[in-house]
Amino acid sequence: LASENKLRLHLPDSDYFTWQLNFSRSMRITLLTWMNEVSAEMKFQRSTLHLSISYTDRYFEKADYLIENSEF
C-alpha cells in the first residue's frame, strides 16, 4: 500500500492538457506513435516504452515554455 501511494505521487495529472497550452493531445499522440515505432524497431522491452511515456507526461505536465510546431 505504501509503495502504491509513493507511485501515485509521481504520476502526472491526467488532465494536464487543460492548463498545458504548449503541448496538445494531438502532439502527444504524434510523439507517442513515434516512440512506439522506435521502441518496436529497436526491440526495446515494453516496460521501456511505458517508462518513457511516463517520463514524457511528467515532463510536459511541468514544462512552461512554448513549443513551436517546427520543433515538433
Side-chain angles (χ1 to χ4, degrees):
L1 185 63
S3 63
E4 285 181 27
N5 288 336
K6 189 174 182 180
L7 179 62
R8 285 190 183 124
L9 291 175
H10 298 288
L11 292 176
D13 187 324
S14 62
D15 200 28
Y16 72 88
F17 291 106
T18 59
W19 69 84
Q20 178 51 274
L21 304 176
N22 300 318
F23 189 64
S24 67
R25 291 180 193 274
S26 64
M27 292 169 83
R28 181 179 185 269
I29 290 168
T30 301
L31 178 60
L32 296 188
T33 299
W34 175 80
M35 290 169 64
N36 189 42
E37 291 171 1
V38 170
S39 179
E41 180 71 26
M42 302 299 288
K43 297 181 171 68
F44 293 155
Q45 293 181 3
R46 296 300 291 172
S47 60
T48 303
L49 176 62
H50 293 184
L51 281 171
S52 64
I53 292 170
S54 176
Y55 293 148
T56 300
D57 283 338
R58 286 187 275 160
Y59 175 79
F60 282 112
E61 177 189 31
K62 304 289 185 201
D64 62 354
Y65 63 91
L66 182 61
I67 300 169
E68 297 192 24
N69 284 335
S70 61
E71 291 181 63
F72 197 72

